[in-house]
Amino acid sequence: MATNGEEQKTQVSRHQEVGHKSLLQSDALYQYILETSVYPREPESMKELRDITAKHPWNLMTTSADEGQFLNMLLKLINAKNTMEIGVYTGYSLLATALALPEDGKILAMDINRENYELGLPVIQKAGVAHKIDFREGPALPVLDLMVEDQKNHGSFDFIFVDADKDNYINYHKRLIELVKIGGLIGYDNTLWNGSVVAPPDAPLRKYVRYYRDFVLELNKALAADPRIEICMLPVGDGITLCRRIK
């Protein structure tokens, strides 16, 4: 018969494996949030896309359902109309955004992999929001550089969501701060990075977690010191830091 200590170790291990999108240390508590607050109000199209994505071998890259719900409400609260998303994957967060925007709202969406995006595209089309999306395949930095060169793009975005290559987050921020309007928001995903931001140097971490951790730590330090923004780091999903441009 398992001891309490063994049961706790098993629970921690299970959390690390199946709860990777939640920083809550109890899988039962996270499941309660999902089943009580998130799943009953999740649009059918988002549920369909979440189910499709769950079967993909890289499903851990997707935005969690509770974070999708949060983004959807946040965009409505700030009356966002012109937005950008860097890192699309199959489009779960993109769909959450598109559903929140008005009919004439726009999303500039960039990802290096069109194939993943097209996996979710039929669901997005069926939801009637595909016309809001301008998808561009390829690295985002060259596109951003061109946009920054054109003064008319400065301060033109209400909201920007970044869930892409963590080693470029600082490079994205240098450009995005010019493109988001004063009073607008930039959301950086994964800023608590599986909880590894507080892990000791010798902690046993997955290879990809260890590789990107220093980049996430660098970003967090830079955002905290940036006088152009107000910030709020939230333990939603894998951690999301909201940056409100103030100058």
Side-chain angles (χ1 to χ4, degrees), residues 9-246:
K9 287 181 180 179
T10 299
Q11 183 67 13
V12 169
S13 175
R14 180 172 178 270
H15 170 77
Q16 291 172 343
E17 292 301 322
V18 305
H20 62 271
K21 281 296 177 181
S22 170
L23 294 166
L24 293 173
Q25 292 303 301
S26 165
D27 289 320
L29 184 56
Y30 182 50
Q31 198 64 31
Y32 174 83
I33 293 171
L34 293 175
E35 293 179 357
T36 305
S37 173
V38 181
Y39 292 159
R41 306 302 294 269
E42 184 180 36
E44 188 59 36
S45 57
M46 290 183 66
K47 180 183 185 303
E48 183 179 356
L49 183 49
R50 179 165 55 82
D51 290 342
I52 290 172
T53 305
K55 299 171 185 175
H56 193 276
W58 301 342
N59 58 56
L60 63 88
M61 291 171 53
T62 192
T63 300
S64 62
D66 55 324
E67 188 173 356
Q69 184 185 62
F70 169 73
L71 290 173
N72 183 271
M73 179 174 285
L74 177 66
L75 288 157
K76 292 172 182 174
L77 287 171
I78 66 173
N79 295 314
K81 186 173 180 179
N82 191 38
T83 74
M84 182 191 305
E85 182 162 331
I86 301 175
V88 173
Y89 187 40
T90 61
Y92 187 79
S93 57
L94 185 63
L95 178 56
T97 299
L99 289 170
L101 297 185
E103 268 301 299
D104 58 346
K106 296 296 179 185
I107 312 166
L108 172 59
M110 292 178 274
D111 199 289
I112 59 172
N113 190 317
R114 177 179 289 273
E115 184 178 345
N116 289 335
Y117 169 63
E118 289 182 345
L119 188 66
L121 184 55
V123 179
I124 293 172
Q125 291 171 331
K126 187 166 64 173
V129 293
H131 65 282
K132 302 178 185 180
I133 300 169
D134 174 11
F135 179 84
R136 303 188 191 180
E137 183 180 22
L141 287 176
V143 178
L144 296 178
D145 284 337
L146 288 173
M147 294 181 71
V148 170
E149 287 177 8
D150 190 342
Q151 194 69 29
K152 73 178 182 182
N153 294 317
H154 287 211
S156 63
F157 287 88
D158 304 310
F159 179 78
I160 301 171
F161 184 59
V162 185
D163 183 11
D165 43 333
K166 316 309 169 194
D167 44 343
N168 267 319
Y169 268 28
I170 287 285
N171 293 323
Y172 291 139
H173 186 68
K174 290 175 181 177
R175 294 155 173 82
L176 296 178
I177 196 67
E178 302 290 338
L179 300 175
V180 71
K181 71 179 185 182
I182 292 177
L185 297 175
I186 306 173
Y188 291 101
D189 201 16
N190 306 113
T191 52
L192 293 176
W193 199 229
N194 288 243
S196 69
V197 290
V198 294
D202 59 348
L205 301 173
R206 292 183 179 91
K207 186 176 180 180
Y208 80 93
V209 173
R210 181 173 297 280
Y211 175 78
Y212 288 112
R213 179 175 61 169
D214 287 346
F215 295 108
V216 174
L217 289 170
E218 180 187 15
L219 172 78
N220 291 342
K221 185 177 180 180
L223 295 180
D226 191 338
R228 300 167 297 180
I229 56 176
E230 296 173 331
I231 65 171
C232 181
M233 182 181 284
L234 300 168
V236 176
D238 191 29
I240 178 172
T241 299
L242 297 179
C243 308
R244 179 176 178 266
R245 184 183 174 189
I246 55 175

